[in-house]
Amino acid sequence: MPNLASPLAGVKVLDFSGGTSGGISTKLMAVMGADVVKVEAPGAGDVTRAQGPFPGDAPHPEKSGQFLYLNTNKRGVTLSLEHPTGRAAARRLVVWADIVVENFRTGQFSEWGFGYDEIERINPGAILVSIAPFGQTGPYRDFRGNDHIIQALGGLLYVTGDPKREPLRIGGEPSEYFAGLSAFAGALIALTYRDLSGIGQHVDVSAHEGIAVAQMYSALAYIFTGAERGRQAASPLYRVSDGQVGVSLRQQDWPGFCQMIGRPELEQDDRFKDMAARRANQEALTALINEWIHDKKKQDLYHEAQKMGMTWGYICDTKDLMESPQYQHRGYFTEIDHPVAGRLTYPGMPLRWGDGVWELRPAPLLGQHNAEVYGDILGWSQEDLVLMRATGVI
Amino acid sequence: MALPLEGIRILDPSQVWAGPTCTKILGDLGADVIKVESARRMDIARGDARAAPGGMGFYPENDPGPDPWNREGKYADRNRSKRSICLDLTHPRGVDAFKRIAAHCDVVVENYRQGVMDRFGLGYNDLKKVRPDIIMLTMASQGATGPEAAYGSFGVTLEQTAGVASVTGYLGGDPSTSGVLFPDPLVSVVSVGFILAALRQRRQTGEGVYIDLSQREMTTSILGDMVMDYTMNDRAWEPIGNRHRTFAPQGIYQCRGSDVWIAISVETDRDWAAFAQTMGRPELIDDPRYATVIGRREHHDELDSLITAWTSVRDAFITMSTLQAAGVPAGVVEKGEDLVSDPQLVARGFWEYTGHTPAETRPYLSRPFKFSKTPGFTRFPAPLLGADTAAVLRDIAGMSDAEIAELDGLGVTEDDPLTFAP
């Protein structure tokens, strides 16, 4: 029996959140050993169940890749907060929980009777974590924001892309993930304080502020120098026979690089002798590199340069990641069996915890743990469950 | 009300961005963070000891001044709410001093290249001997193990090797890196959670832990749907510029002024109707080309021109307010100057002002979360290099004045980088 890593064992999380930001925040807690009960609306469930990707592009609520990834290790129940009986059940679950997480439209959770004041009244030690595009207060609190809008208003977009073209967003949903990881950190800060004081509180997470923190360079350039940093030509990526390689040549890299390309005489060439000269002769340098590099292979170059102490990269797509000897060595990708979606490879945990092993369990089917959770925590009988299902509460 | 992390002490030899930003957040929330550098090997974010005006550093009014290492803006923001000590860790007495401080710390955070701390004699097993329940977080670029563990990285190479760059780039164009080195802030914020999880485990079990975080793996972990699509369908993703994988139209559109842009994102048919109405083009709502998401995706280029014609003569902020009032997701592409005066960030007190003197006082970035009962704030400006060396050696390591003077005489605690600058 391996030593299972479970630093958050014993922490009880009631998770009303959905989508990416909420999903990743409680996923980390769940894999780290917390008991996370994910509450989904009866019928459709979490929004990511409808979003995919799906095997063969055939939509199926139990086969959404994003849902499966974001909800490993959680227990799942259905509960309608639109229904008064559902809200009454939710209040009893709040009494059970150490941490309650939500990312509804701002104000929605309060309208259902779960404002922080009310949560504090029924469970004074509870920590309520609210994740919203712009946080719970301020003039933009009711603005609609998704990843694209948040990257713009948070200052990330303006500095990415070609200086001669329009700003460019970072691919994927970085602001959603950043908000979720911030919520994870915020919850742990509040839990630390609660363990010492017994006092719970409301943690207000803003995706907008997350991106404002992440962009850093852009704001600090203006604050300290009065000038905008703007979009700078991206770090040079060179086309090779099977992809692209990120070439970086610091001052100390030049002699080794000249050896690497079989042109030792260039070491003494005045056009390239230092960083300033290389910048001044960038075009000649680029031509030189292109001529040498174009028929090489990305991974050969990456490993060769790194072994010489040069910090190069190469563009990895998912196939490259899966085949990466480094990822394979660390066992980053993990296979998980799911009763409906089958056995699939998932991104795993990005860290090792002592000599412990993370245990990854499949995401819950919609309502999979209704009997167990409602039976154990609320004392519902089988008859109660039938009644609740028939009336649309669960 | 007390700060939530009061009583936690962090020993922090981390450098540059990911490590320092993590510990600055812990410092803002009350942890006693002791940053370890040496005059010989400062945090490289401090810049050069003899910086020239117009270099890479962000110096106040572009003036590096006589002590540029204490003035660099990125360094200042990432290291406020900490104390600073100088210890030469290549000297045995420096290593000894580090251990004597570590004996009174809860957590050590480091992001050196893999193996460096071990070579100093300050690896987890060394530190465990002086503090059995110590928690150590190492955030090497590729983790502490594996064939690429010793490889170097910058944020910009991690974006490439973790997969983010493969989906960033203009539509139909090549992959691209971002303008901000996104992996660093990502790793910094999640590490706050990991450290506090380890502290909770220690409260429960009495045991410390060695945490081996891979910055590359953490960055791939924000690409769940991309990986799962490959897993399920063998499909590799390519850059799609500013568009959305599903709904349309979405893009960045020029507004009045130079290099002024607005982001607009139409998620639903209802959004489209509201958008067309706001543009004063109600006839487009039911236009068969645009009425459905399928049509809008097909005619995306055409829609982009049509939207640009409308936005390009308009003020970006007014257009955002008008669209948001109609329920359409829209946001100005904010520059540094816009961020500092952004009404939402200002109203929520996002900017925190600090500086060593009134003249130096500037807004600093705060944190992405607020707590209803416990405070958290930029407690004091980034320390001058080595400002707290003597106090920490005396009060925490328990050294006598004579011993501190001896270390000073040996150069172990030297704190003037000009001593070593070329």
Side-chain angles (χ1 to χ4, degrees):
Chain A
M1 187 69 184
N3 170 25
L4 296 182
S6 56
L8 297 182
V11 177
K12 291 172 283 189
V13 181
L14 182 60
D15 180 13
F16 291 100
S17 74
T20 301
S21 63
I24 192 71
S25 71
T26 52
K27 173 199 169 95
L28 288 178
M29 298 179 204
V31 179
M32 296 181 87
D35 179 7
V36 177
V37 172
K38 181 179 178 75
V39 182
E40 299 180 77
D46 191 312
V47 61
T48 58
R49 287 186 184 272
Q51 287 170 346
F54 300 103
D57 295 320
H60 186 296
E62 302 297 354
K63 294 185 183 177
S64 155
Q66 183 73 338
F67 180 85
L68 293 173
Y69 168 62
L70 291 171
N71 295 287
T72 58
N73 294 55
K74 300 177 190 176
R75 296 201 281 173
V77 299
T78 50
L79 190 64
S80 170
L81 296 180
E82 311 273 357
H83 200 297
T85 310
R87 293 196 291 274
R91 290 164 67 88
R92 292 180 58 203
L93 292 174
V94 166
V95 174
W96 166 84
D98 299 307
I99 298 171
V100 179
V101 183
E102 65 95 8
N103 63 352
F104 294 108
R105 171 182 63 75
T106 319
Q108 173 70 76
F109 207 40
S110 297
E111 286 161 30
W112 280 329
F114 298 95
Y116 175 67
D117 290 350
E118 193 55 21
I119 286 189
E120 184 184 28
R121 208 179 56 75
I122 51 182
N123 180 354
I127 293 157
L128 172 63
V129 180
S130 296
I131 311 169
F134 299 97
Q136 302 297 308
T137 60
Y140 297 178
R141 72 188 284 268
D142 297 322
F143 274 18
R144 285 183 62 193
N146 58 24
D147 183 77
H148 186 59
I149 304 305
I150 296 300
Q151 284 198 44
L153 279 166
L156 187 60
L157 250 156
Y158 180 70
V159 290
T160 296
D162 183 336
K164 296 190 244 8
R165 292 189 61 175
E166 73 276 17
L168 178 66
R169 67 189 282 253
I170 299 182
E173 296 180 300
S175 78
E176 296 277 346
Y177 278 98
F178 202 93
L181 300 178
S182 301
F184 166 70
L188 266 295
I189 291 165
L191 186 67
T192 304
Y193 184 72
R194 192 194 82 147
D195 280 355
L196 302 172
S197 67
I199 297 170
Q201 57 184 322
H202 189 188
V203 184
D204 168 4
V205 180
S206 156
H208 181 211
E209 290 171 356
I211 292 303
V213 164
Q215 55 72 40
M216 185 169 253
Y217 272 1
S218 165
L220 293 179
Y222 173 76
I223 289 165
F224 279 83
T225 71
E228 292 292 345
R229 185 159 180 274
R231 293 184 288 292
Q232 307 189 339
S235 151
L237 293 168
Y238 288 86
R239 193 173 281 289
V240 298
S241 64
D242 60 348
Q244 285 167 298
V245 169
V247 172
S248 159
L249 293 172
R250 294 164 301 176
Q251 186 66 41
Q252 67 267 36
D253 295 333
W254 185 248
F257 178 72
C258 295
Q259 292 295 331
M260 185 182 181
I261 66 172
R263 300 282 301 275
E265 78 282 5
L266 289 175
E267 204 185 319
Q268 307 304 329
D269 193 316
D270 280 348
R271 291 175 301 165
F272 310 122
K273 66 179 188 326
D274 55 28
M275 295 294 274
R278 295 208 283 277
R279 261 195 293 277
N281 294 291
Q282 184 64 52
E283 244 173 76
L285 180 61
T286 302
L288 186 88
I289 297 174
N290 271 325
E291 191 196 340
W292 168 76
I293 213 169
H294 73 276
D295 58 352
K296 309 280 187 301
K297 287 194 179 311
K298 59 189 178 187
Q299 295 194 37
D300 295 346
L301 289 165
Y302 166 68
H303 293 297
E304 190 184 348
Q306 284 282 0
K307 281 173 182 149
M308 294 174 66
M310 297 192 286
T311 307
W312 289 19
Y314 69 105
I315 298 284
C316 286
D317 63 16
T318 315
K319 183 168 179 287
D320 298 320
L321 297 175
M322 295 248 181
E323 291 171 359
S324 156
Q326 177 67 12
Y327 277 19
Q328 286 177 359
H329 177 92
R330 288 175 63 84
Y332 172 64
F333 290 108
T334 310
E335 288 196 336
I336 301 175
D337 262 324
H338 182 277
V340 179
R343 191 170 184 81
L344 293 166
T345 301
Y346 293 60
M349 286 292 268
L351 75 173
R352 290 180 170 189
W353 198 270
D355 56 6
V357 176
W358 301 114
E359 184 191 20
L360 282 149
R361 299 192 304 274
L365 305 173
L366 189 62
Q368 182 181 342
H369 301 93
N370 280 354
E372 178 182 311
V373 168
Y374 293 129
D376 292 351
I377 302 176
L378 303 187
W380 288 1
S381 64
Q382 284 298 328
E383 278 176 313
D384 293 335
L385 287 164
V386 171
L387 190 64
M388 293 299 179
R389 182 157 320 172
T391 51
V393 174
I394 62 173
Chain B
M1 193 61 83
L3 288 155
L5 304 185
E6 245 170 59
I8 295 170
R9 184 174 289 140
I10 315 276
L11 188 53
D12 178 20
S14 77
Q15 299 196 69
V16 193
W17 190 338
T21 303
C22 164
T23 53
K24 123 186 144 176
I25 295 171
L26 297 168
D28 285 351
L29 293 161
D32 179 14
V33 180
I34 300 164
K35 183 175 176 87
V36 185
E37 300 168 82
S38 79
R40 192 191 293 277
R41 187 175 179 172
M42 299 185 289
D43 183 337
I44 62 169
R46 285 185 184 270
D48 295 329
R50 296 187 206 276
M56 302 288 280
F58 298 161
Y59 298 105
E61 280 72 58
N62 293 307
D63 175 13
D67 58 343
W69 60 88
N70 284 326
R71 294 165 59 80
E72 210 285 330
K74 296 186 293 297
Y75 178 87
D77 191 282
R78 294 171 193 160
N79 293 283
R80 70 212 190 185
S81 303
K82 300 179 191 177
R83 301 202 267 176
S84 165
I85 64 170
C86 280
L87 287 179
D88 181 354
L89 299 179
T90 63
H91 193 288
R93 297 291 294 274
V95 172
D96 170 67
F98 187 98
K99 285 184 183 169
R100 286 166 70 180
I101 300 166
H104 302 278
C105 290
D106 302 291
V107 183
V108 175
V109 180
E110 68 96 7
N111 63 348
Y112 277 120
R113 195 182 271 232
Q114 179 262 359
V116 170
M117 288 295 276
D118 285 324
R119 283 200 290 282
F120 288 146
L122 295 171
Y124 175 65
N125 288 325
D126 302 303
L127 296 176
K128 225 178 140 176
K129 287 186 191 128
V130 298
R131 171 86 190 211
D133 66 351
I134 197 118
I135 291 159
M136 185 169 188
L137 170 63
T138 179
M139 39 170 94
S141 59
Q142 305 222 27
T145 61
E148 295 171 34
Y151 284 14
S153 81
F154 306 124
V156 71
T157 51
L158 283 173
E159 286 186 352
Q160 297 164 32
T161 56
V164 173
S166 77
V167 286
T168 301
Y170 293 102
L171 183 67
D174 285 334
S176 165
T177 51
S178 84
V180 294
L181 320 181
F182 198 70
D184 285 275
L186 191 72
V187 167
S188 73
V189 74
V190 75
S191 293
V192 168
F194 292 144
I195 288 168
L196 295 175
L199 281 162
R200 179 171 202 279
Q201 183 176 33
R202 197 184 72 177
R203 289 196 296 277
Q204 303 280 315
T205 66
E207 304 270 328
V209 69
Y210 175 66
I211 307 170
D212 161 16
L213 169 71
S214 158
Q215 298 200 34
R216 183 180 176 191
E217 289 171 12
M218 186 59 236
T219 307
T220 299
S221 298
I222 69 165
L223 297 166
D225 46 359
M226 178 185 99
V227 172
M228 297 306 287
D229 200 15
Y230 181 81
T231 293
M232 293 171 156
N233 299 311
D234 280 339
R235 187 155 44 208
W237 286 13
E238 288 176 356
I240 53 166
N242 291 311
R243 291 188 179 177
H244 191 269
R245 301 199 74 80
T246 310
F247 46 71
Q250 173 175 289
I252 299 298
Y253 302 97
Q254 192 154 25
C255 290
R256 200 168 66 209
S258 166
D259 204 18
V260 179
W261 310 83
I262 189 168
I264 298 172
S265 185
V266 171
E267 296 184 5
T268 62
D269 293 347
R270 204 204 127 273
D271 292 348
W272 171 246
F275 186 27
Q277 196 76 45
T278 307
M279 287 195 291
R281 303 284 299 275
E283 76 280 7
L284 299 178
I285 298 172
D286 296 319
D287 186 313
R289 288 171 298 173
Y290 313 133
T292 67
V293 67
I294 295 166
R296 293 194 296 273
R297 285 174 65 101
E298 241 165 63
H299 298 96
H300 209 305
D301 288 345
E302 199 174 303
L303 279 171
D304 286 346
S305 313
L306 186 149
I307 297 166
T308 300
W310 183 72
T311 56
S312 59
V313 294
R314 288 181 156 71
D315 174 84
F317 283 90
I318 293 172
T319 306
M320 168 174 74
S321 301
T322 310
L323 287 172
Q324 285 281 1
V328 180
V332 174
V333 176
E334 294 201 353
K335 305 176 185 181
E337 184 176 13
D338 301 324
L339 286 168
V340 175
S341 56
D342 178 278
Q344 177 71 4
L345 296 176
V346 170
R348 283 171 59 84
F350 176 77
W351 300 103
E352 295 180 340
Y353 286 75
T354 194
H356 290 283
T357 64
E360 284 177 13
T361 297
R362 287 165 199 277
Y364 282 69
L365 306 152
S366 63
R367 297 153 303 280
F369 31 62
K370 295 186 182 305
F371 301 90
S372 63
K373 292 184 186 165
T374 51
F377 51 91
T378 299
R379 290 192 290 147
F380 39 83
L384 303 178
L385 181 64
D388 306 292
T389 307
V392 167
L393 292 177
R394 187 181 57 238
D395 302 340
I396 297 177
M399 289 187 188
S400 66
D401 290 344
E403 199 175 355
I404 293 168
E406 193 193 345
L407 289 180
D408 184 37
L410 290 167
V412 171
T413 53
E414 174 61 52
D415 59 11
D416 185 354
L418 293 174
T419 311
F420 304 102

